[in-house]
Amino acid sequence: MSDSSAHAETILWRRLDRPGHEAARLVFHAPFWQLTGTAVFAESGAPCRLEYQVTCDPSWRTRHAQLTGWFGSRRVVCTISADARHHWRLDGRSCSDVAGCVDLDLSFSPATNLLPIRRLALPVGQAAPVRAAWLRFPEFRLEPLEQRYHRTDTERYRYESGAGTETFRAELRVTPVGFVAEYAGLWSVETQGQRT
């Protein structure tokens, strides 16, 4: 994918574990990457609509994120930032538990898997650990999450998160730009496109 500010990639997912859809868009506005999207789904029997914008530097390190929307009758407004030393803040409060994390992971979305996939740019056969700042939903709390990405071929990764008996494993099929196209049992792409 060309690092051109005139180029955007878009995708639409369908949730497989509950009613829901999500649309996302990736664009380069020099010198930042911007990942934006809208997720509409059901959680604990309540409808939810969340919009997000994640901004990364040219090396795909998360710098800022904004979430707005609602969950049932609850209004959601959430601001996240990370400085060059990977010190994180959530709604202005320091989050020492996730200090040193490079990537933001939105727990309700497949979109943010793209961030470590692009940042690591793993060759086929290689693997790497990631410690992500994981935004737990619906608590909207930042927690550290140990992850591992193993690129098994040009379109597939073996993904793991957590540790011990709590380890989650899934195969991810990805698009050429790095969006997850198939996330076993959770999300499936319905359509994708690009605009130049």
Side-chain angles (χ1 to χ4, degrees):
M1 176 181 167
S2 170
D3 290 4
S4 166
S5 60
H7 189 98
E9 298 277 348
T10 57
I11 193 165
L12 174 68
W13 293 281
R14 176 173 54 91
R15 288 197 71 145
L16 303 177
D17 60 333
R18 67 194 65 184
H21 279 84
E22 181 173 341
R25 179 177 185 264
L26 177 68
V27 66
F28 185 71
H29 291 297
F32 299 110
W33 288 98
Q34 288 189 338
L35 175 64
T36 60
T38 302
V40 180
F41 58 97
E43 175 70 29
S44 302
C48 179
R49 178 180 183 273
L50 296 173
E51 294 187 4
Y52 56 85
Q53 177 174 303
V54 181
T55 301
C56 296
D57 69 15
S59 298
W60 293 97
R61 294 171 296 206
T62 300
R63 288 291 175 255
H64 184 268
Q66 179 78 36
L67 286 85
T68 58
W70 42 265
F71 170 41
S73 60
R74 173 184 170 194
R75 182 170 178 254
V76 174
V77 178
C78 182
T79 301
I80 300 166
S81 62
D83 64 20
R85 295 186 177 185
H86 312 304
H87 296 146
W88 292 75
R89 301 182 75 84
L90 173 62
D91 295 329
R93 300 184 307 274
S94 178
C95 299
S96 59
D97 286 351
V98 294
C101 294
V102 178
D103 308 298
L104 175 66
D105 188 332
L106 303 177
S107 64
F108 59 86
S109 172
T112 46
N113 290 96
L114 174 141
L115 306 181
I117 286 172
R118 290 297 298 263
R119 182 175 61 80
L120 295 169
L122 292 172
V124 172
Q126 296 297 304
V130 170
R131 186 172 181 265
W134 188 60
L135 185 70
R136 180 183 287 275
F137 174 85
E139 295 86 354
F140 294 99
R141 181 175 67 240
L142 281 178
E143 301 176 0
L145 181 64
E146 302 297 333
Q147 303 174 327
R148 185 174 185 270
Y149 287 84
H150 177 197
R151 191 170 194 176
T152 56
D153 67 30
T154 56
E155 295 184 346
R156 295 185 188 278
Y157 287 79
R158 186 177 302 121
Y159 169 77
E160 297 181 4
S161 64
T165 59
E166 300 297 320
T167 300
F168 170 81
R169 296 177 176 88
E171 182 176 81
L172 309 180
R173 182 172 66 83
V174 301
T175 69
V177 75
F179 276 125
V180 173
E182 302 290 339
Y183 198 134
L186 295 175
W187 289 279
S188 180
V189 65
E190 288 206 334
T191 186
Q192 57 186 323
Q194 66 179 40
R195 177 179 59 82
T196 58

